[in-house]
Amino acid sequence: GIQVEQSPPDLILQEGANSTLRCNFSDSVNNLQWFHQNPWGQLINLFYIPSGTKQNGRLSATTVATERYSLLYISSSQTTDSGVYFCAVEGSGTSYDKVIFGPGTSLSVIP
Amino acid sequence: NAGVTQTPKFRVLKTGQSMTLLCAQDMNHEYMYWYRQDPGMGLRLIHYSVGEGTTAKGEVPDGYNVSRLKKQNFLLGLESAAPSQTSVYFCASLRERGASGANVLTFGAGSRLTVL
């Protein structure tokens, strides 16, 4: 089945710093989403981004489907950005209908 | 509009006991998924359903069964619970494959299960 990797696994930032999170996937996908899991465990969708670039406030995401990766940019980080960031892909072929998650990037933003 | 609701939120079981987790969605979504989340391992797909009356295995299906008798409900069952099934379980739903516009996976709040 499709494999999803994320890097880095852990990240500590000073408030106000910028960061880039990466998601690599092993096969072609029909869709990709980014999620934030807050410290209370709630999973919130950030982006639905099968290809191209989208921006939402301080966050932006880029997916290059032909090269099998996606990037999540966080600018001017705030303590409320802390949590775990996941990418999730909707597979194709034998992985069609499955939505597979990467292992996540744990982000801590310190004041 | 409640979205995706999971019950119960917390449960403690003894080894060998059985239980069922209920996921209900009121968005008329076709696809539903059950995941488990363990520390440092992200979310792993247990079983999923592409419509009423259908179920399929995900990445880690052993020890679990599921049913989707009604479109809005997706049940996850543990017939004989084991300590290795201690985890946080999340249910999610998706409108349909190939839908136009954003098709966002919507999650429930999670169910924390401890097996002693």
Side-chain angles (χ1 to χ4, degrees), chain B residues 15-102:
Chain B
T15 297
Q17 288 184 320
S18 63
M19 75 157 296
T20 300
L21 297 174
L22 170 63
C23 177
Q25 53 96 2
D26 61 1
M27 300 170 286
N28 202 35
H29 283 179
E30 290 291 336
Y31 286 63
M32 297 186 74
Y33 301 84
W34 275 109
Y35 294 90
R36 60 176 289 173
Q37 185 175 26
D38 303 297
M41 298 192 71
L43 283 80
R44 292 183 292 169
L45 181 63
I46 305 171
H47 286 282
Y48 63 100
S49 168
V50 301
E52 181 178 306
T54 76
T55 62
K57 294 180 180 180
E59 302 170 287
V60 289
D62 293 343
Y64 305 95
N65 56 75
V66 287
S67 64
R68 184 113 180 257
L69 299 179
K70 294 183 178 180
K71 185 177 184 179
Q72 64 268 34
N73 295 336
F74 194 28
L75 278 64
L76 178 71
L78 287 71
E79 290 187 348
S80 179
S84 60
Q85 294 177 304
T86 293
S87 189
V88 179
Y89 292 86
F90 286 96
C91 175
S93 69
L94 194 65
R95 185 155 38 104
E96 60 184 349
R97 295 301 298 269
S100 61

Side-chain angles (χ1 to χ4, degrees), chain A residues 69-86:
Chain A
Y69 74 90
S70 183
L71 302 174
L72 177 69
Y73 305 95
I74 304 174
S75 64
S76 303
S77 59
Q78 301 175 358
T79 56
T80 53
D81 294 332
S82 296
V84 184
Y85 290 81
F86 293 103

Side-chain angles (χ1 to χ4, degrees), chain A residues 2 30-31 33 35 37 41-43 45 48 54 86 88 90-91 95-104, chain B residues 31 33 35 37 40-43 45 48 50 57-59 90 94 97-99 101-105 107 109:
Chain A
I2 193 167
N30 290 316
N31 190 15
Q33 302 185 44
F35 291 86
Q37 186 171 39
Q42 189 180 15
L43 284 150
N45 180 271
Y48 170 91
K54 291 186 177 180
F86 293 103
E90 292 177 36
S95 295
Y96 194 79
D97 292 334
K98 296 180 181 178
V99 179
I100 303 299
F101 279 73
Chain B
Y31 286 63
Y33 301 84
Y35 294 90
Q37 185 175 26
M41 298 192 71
L43 283 80
L45 181 63
Y48 63 100
V50 301
K57 294 180 180 180
E59 302 170 287
F90 286 96
L94 194 65
R97 295 301 298 269
N103 192 7
V104 171
L105 194 64
F107 277 90

